[in-house]
Amino acid sequence: MKLINSLLAMIMLAGICTAYAQQTSEWKSPMHEVQFISESGDDVKMEVDKGYKYANLEFDGRKFHLFYNRDLNQIKKARIVEPKTQLEIARGRGSYFWGSARLEFVDGEILKVKRKRNANGYVITGPSGPIFKVENHAISAVKTYNEKEFLTQAFYVFDRIKTTQNNPSDVMIFYSNYYQTSSNK
């Protein structure tokens, strides 16, 4: 009788532990971490995917997801999304070549940007001055004046990381154009 009671208690305990474990499980991929300090002294954290496909930004108690649609490195494919609500906060439009590059925010505000290249870097300029600057192949500090300029600057930081880094060696993607043409299918 004691054996049956203890066996029954163990089964119930295992069932409760299994149910609790399935409720709290959460997938999380390994990320590279980049830290900023804003003008107000708050810490801002950006986590970049190890394959450099997207970045997650935590700023002022809010979270943002930065990426290029279809992983095409063009301003018109730039996206900033709020992950909780899946609301697209900003979308890139236009082209640097034609001078129409801009980020359009969900509230209707348009932030026009221009890129001016030099021998060892470039400057991204917005309506109130420089937003992002690369000097001597390194990111330079630039002051932003509002949240939209900061989000734009964070996107360009992600873009710079994406273009200067290579995928890790432990991630391998194999492509083959071999098609089997034998009759032994």
Side-chain angles (χ1 to χ4, degrees):
M1 188 69 167
K2 284 185 176 182
L3 180 64
I4 294 174
N5 286 340
S6 61
L7 184 62
L8 186 61
M10 289 178 69
I11 291 173
M12 287 178 50
L13 183 63
I16 292 170
C17 291
T18 303
Y20 180 72
Q22 289 180 358
Q23 287 177 350
T24 61
S25 66
E26 185 176 309
W27 290 95
K28 189 157 182 137
S29 61
M31 308 280 266
H32 296 294
E33 192 170 300
V34 180
Q35 297 221 343
F36 303 106
I37 297 177
S38 64
E39 285 89 22
S40 62
D42 297 334
D43 286 337
V44 178
K45 185 172 70 169
M46 179 188 285
E47 294 178 331
V48 180
D49 172 46
K50 285 196 173 188
Y52 305 106
K53 301 275 187 190
Y54 64 91
N56 292 325
L57 178 73
E58 289 184 36
F59 168 63
D60 202 25
R62 296 175 61 197
K63 292 184 179 184
F64 299 97
H65 191 70
L66 315 170
F67 64 98
Y68 282 105
N69 189 28
R70 299 184 183 214
D71 203 31
L72 296 174
N73 200 9
Q74 302 168 354
I75 184 71
K76 62 184 173 184
K77 299 293 183 179
R79 303 289 188 267
I80 301 174
V81 174
E82 193 170 25
K84 243 184 209 179
T85 61
Q86 298 297 321
L87 177 67
E88 188 174 90
I89 302 295
R91 154 183 274 194
R93 295 281 193 196
S95 166
Y96 294 115
F97 181 77
W98 299 108
S100 62
R102 63 196 181 276
L103 277 171
E104 296 179 353
F105 287 87
V106 71
D107 64 355
E109 186 174 335
I110 297 173
L111 197 99
K112 293 184 179 182
V113 293
K114 293 182 181 179
R115 180 173 57 189
K116 183 178 179 187
R117 293 185 179 270
N118 59 35
N120 292 319
Y122 58 91
V123 176
I124 302 294
T125 307
S128 60
I131 294 176
F132 181 74
K133 189 184 289 187
V134 174
E135 293 178 323
N136 298 324
H137 303 289
I139 298 172
S140 296
V142 176
K143 182 177 180 178
T144 56
Y145 294 100
N146 57 36
E147 179 180 314
K148 292 180 176 126
E149 283 187 358
F150 179 76
L151 287 174
T152 304
Q153 183 184 59
F155 193 88
Y156 281 108
V157 169
F158 164 64
D159 177 56
R160 182 68 181 168
I161 291 169
K162 181 177 176 56
T163 56
T164 59
Q165 303 298 313
N166 294 328
N167 288 337
S169 62
D170 58 343
V171 176
M172 295 174 145
I173 301 171
F174 292 104
Y175 295 102
S176 174
N177 58 358
Y178 172 75
Y179 298 103
Q180 184 176 0
T181 58
S182 71
S183 61
N184 298 336
K185 287 188 178 185

